[in-house]
Structure formats: structure tokens, C-alpha cells
Amino acid sequence: MAKDFRPLQQKTQRIIDNQNVSTNTRLQTLCELLRDEIPYYDWVGFYFKNGDKGELKLGPYAGEPTDHTIIPFGKGICGQVAVSNQNFVVPDVSAQDNYIACSITVKAEIVVPLFVNGENIGQIDIDSNTPDPFSEEDERFLEFVNEKVAQIL
Ligand code: SME
């Protein structure tokens, strides 16, 4: 059965609208919300372009700490999305040659770019310990999340 993302859209909107806390705190809260409420979202984080260095830098995240706090453009799923400007849905990470493993428990990944004024300035990255869990509804929901985040960056 299709997942109903509408309650999560409302919670996302409320977090974004909370001007009493910093942008970073709102992004952190958002990562925790998604990780807590979607059973197959096991690691949720934002990467942002790091100045003009040709690399991504880890921002707020929820889940196990990762060694991959800096990712060069073109490397791994995240680095590929930094240059392609396209969603990247990976149903089975073991089938990917250009992949950076953060944890051996991860089976699947989705990365959706984040645009501000039409420029790809970062991305949301989800790791799942469940094989092939992501549908187009996840893509649409994560695009919604990134559009909201773009408004407070
Ligand atoms: N797996 C990612 C690296 C980031 S971790 O998932 C947190 C990649 O291949 O780009």
C-alpha cells in the first residue's frame, strides 16, 4: 500500500516555520523526524557544497556518525548527484561501482539534490538497511522537503 506522506509534510512545514531556533537546529530536527517516523530511513543527512572546493561537506544528520564528512564531486552516490543535478535512487548498493560505504548494514540509498534559485547547493541523503525500499513517493516527498529547506537557507 502506498505510504501517506501528508502528515509528515505538515510536520516538516512546522519545523521549517519555527523561527525561534537556528536553521541548523531546524535541519537537525528534520533529520531526526524523518529517521524516527519512516521505518526504512536508517540514516538521514544533508550535505552541502563546500565553497568552491569541488566537494560536499556533511551538515546536520541523524543516525550513526560517518567518516565521510567530506565527499569530492563525482565520488560515490552523493558526489555524482552534486554534478548530475538529478535524483539518484539505489535499490541495491552492492550493484554500484561508484559507491562509498558508510556502514555494512546499508542496503539501499536515495539522494535528492537541493536547489536554491535553480542552483544545486547540496542534497538530502537517506541510507536504508532494507533492500529496495524507495518509491517515487519518497522522491516526491524528499523534493518537497528540499523545497522547504531551500526557503530558510
Ligand atoms: N553512501 C554515500 C556516502 C555518504 S553515506 O551514505 C552517509 C555515497 O556513496 O555517496
Side-chain angles (χ1 to χ4, degrees), residues 47-51 55-57 73 82-83 85 119-122:
Y47 282 93
F48 293 104
K49 291 194 172 176
N50 193 12
E55 64 186 27
L56 294 161
K57 188 175 180 197
F73 287 5
V83 292
N85 306 324
E119 186 192 350
N120 178 356
I121 58 99

Side-chain angles (χ1 to χ4, degrees), residues 43 47 66 68 71 75-79 99-100 102 109 125 127:
W43 189 95
Y47 282 93
T66 173
H68 304 291
I71 298 178
K75 300 285 182 196
I77 309 304
C78 296
Y99 170 69
I100 303 166
C102 278
E109 179 162 5
D125 176 20
D127 283 344

